[in-house]
Amino acid sequence: MYQKPGTVKVANLHKKFVAKGKEVPVLEDINLSVSPGEFVSVIGQSGCGKTTFLRLLASLETDYSGEILVDGKKINGPSLNRGVVFQDHRLLPWLTVEKNIGLGLKKLNGKDKKKIIQEHIDLVGLNGFENAHPSQLSGGMSQRAAIARALVNRPEILLLDEPLGALDALTRMYMHKEIERIWKAEAITMIMVTHDVEEAIYLSDKIVIMSSRPGTIRKIVPVQLPRPRDRASYDFQKLKDEVLAEFHLDADKLFSYAI
Ligand SMILES: Nc1ncnc2c1ncn2[C@@H]1O[C@H](COP(=O)(O)OP(=O)(O)O)[C@@H](O)[C@H]1O
Ligand SMILES: [Mg+2]
């Protein structure tokens, strides 16, 4: 069946790791449908399996049971149609911004390559920093470069693992606007892992709340607030309380393990 580019369907996904000779279930019965162009956040306590889930979606991890379909087809290995942004920018320190962004673009010749790289430098607002090295960039600028590098192959899906986790609060708020702008400009599917409830509500069409030990989906919460979203609005705060309440239930569960 034809699926519009950017569709993700996860069915009965289970993932185990082997630790000290014992199998440890990390993800259990994950079911999720993501529509083309949707912005989905995955939130949950540290250690609940968010990164593992994203790595499975990116095919950086390939051992699992269940189904992960992208555009109706079972994924089998990393692909240029799924870009990834990590919490640490992973730029190569000895290369300029321009060269870092161009690194993944192997297919094109010189002129086209330069044009596409420049388009993406413009897209993430790094004009003027083409020849800067990563050490000359702020945290926010480095993540912009990492986003440009992930988008330069025009993926249908961008996977982001706590991309703003290392940034200060003000820069994060600014980057929320920027990520929303880039998401709209590219019109692609984005799936972002975060543990920041406000960030998830600001950006997402729906929020996947995970429980820990093993990681399961506790609840999927649609966010229907008009964009751009107003953090101070009653509806925003109400939703934030609701999502946090789910978190606390999970924290209580974790605490009961500890005693
Ligand atoms: N390669 C691995 N081998 C064994 N256990 C792992 C591996 N990667 C992650 N884990 C375990 O899986 C669980 C989920 O980890 P992770 O997906 O990184 O969680 P999160 O991103 O939500 O913090 C943790 O208990 C972690 O220790
Ligand atoms: Mg993680």
Side-chain angles (χ1 to χ4, degrees):
M1 191 176 63
Y2 174 76
Q3 302 263 348
K4 258 181 96 178
T7 309
V8 180
K9 191 161 168 47
V10 177
N12 311 113
L13 173 67
H14 291 252
K15 167 75 189 163
K16 293 185 178 104
F17 282 118
V18 177
K20 293 183 197 143
K22 257 178 51 186
E23 282 197 333
V24 183
V26 174
L27 295 173
E28 263 190 15
D29 201 22
I30 304 288
N31 293 282
L32 179 68
S33 291
V34 181
S35 309
E38 211 173 9
F39 198 116
V40 176
S41 288
V42 179
I43 64 171
Q45 311 276 350
S46 179
C48 75
K50 303 182 295 297
T51 293
T52 304
F53 182 45
L54 213 73
R55 285 175 57 81
L56 286 164
L57 293 177
S59 299
L60 296 172
E61 190 75 60
T62 50
D63 174 35
Y64 62 92
S65 69
E67 266 191 338
I68 305 176
L69 306 178
V70 168
D71 303 337
K73 288 194 214 87
K74 198 160 179 164
I75 53 173
N76 62 350
S79 153
L80 294 180
N81 76 2
R82 276 166 280 141
V84 191
V85 177
F86 303 93
Q87 179 171 346
D88 47 334
H89 55 71
R90 302 190 188 186
L91 300 171
L92 298 177
W94 59 89
L95 293 181
T96 62
V97 165
E98 196 175 55
K99 293 231 160 67
N100 264 292
I101 295 174
L103 213 55
L105 262 181
K106 298 204 175 73
K107 281 181 287 184
L108 298 171
N109 65 32
K111 206 168 131 224
D112 289 342
K113 194 165 170 171
K114 196 149 177 75
K115 183 165 161 272
I116 284 206
I117 293 169
Q118 193 58 50
E119 275 170 19
H120 286 82
I121 287 175
D122 294 347
L123 174 74
V124 300
L126 279 180
N127 335 50
F129 291 90
E130 289 81 354
N131 296 314
H133 282 81
S135 63
Q136 296 168 294
L137 305 179
S138 68
M141 288 162 87
S142 302
Q143 280 311 54
R144 287 169 190 269
I147 292 171
R149 185 187 49 192
L151 290 175
V152 82
N153 285 302
R154 304 203 179 287
E156 298 164 10
I157 299 164
L158 186 65
L159 304 165
L160 307 113
D161 190 1
E162 308 212 27
L164 311 179
L167 306 182
D168 63 87
L170 279 177
T171 308
R172 285 175 84 113
M173 270 163 65
Y174 188 58
M175 286 298 288
H176 293 157
K177 283 194 189 156
E178 286 294 277
I179 289 180
E180 185 175 48
R181 179 182 64 72
I182 293 165
W183 169 65
K184 282 189 176 157
E186 297 288 279
I188 59 173
T189 304
M190 292 199 185
I191 303 179
M192 178 181 72
V193 163
T194 177
H195 55 243
D196 182 336
V197 173
E198 212 173 280
E199 177 167 297
I201 298 175
Y202 187 86
L203 284 167
S204 314
D205 294 318
K206 70 185 179 212
I207 302 176
V208 177
I209 305 176
M210 288 184 61
S211 289
S212 322
R213 299 189 193 188
T216 51
I217 294 182
R218 181 180 198 95
K219 200 169 184 181
I220 298 180
V221 180
V223 185
Q224 279 147 352
L225 306 174
R227 294 174 187 268
R229 291 175 177 158
D230 175 7
R231 287 184 174 75
S233 72
Y234 173 78
D235 289 340
F236 194 107
Q237 289 301 321
K238 190 164 153 263
L239 191 59
K240 188 174 163 185
D241 287 345
E242 281 169 29
V243 174
L244 279 171
E246 290 289 336
F247 254 147
H248 289 147
L249 287 174
D250 197 45
D252 289 347
K253 188 185 101 183
L254 279 179
F255 188 60
S256 71
Y257 277 113
I259 51 176

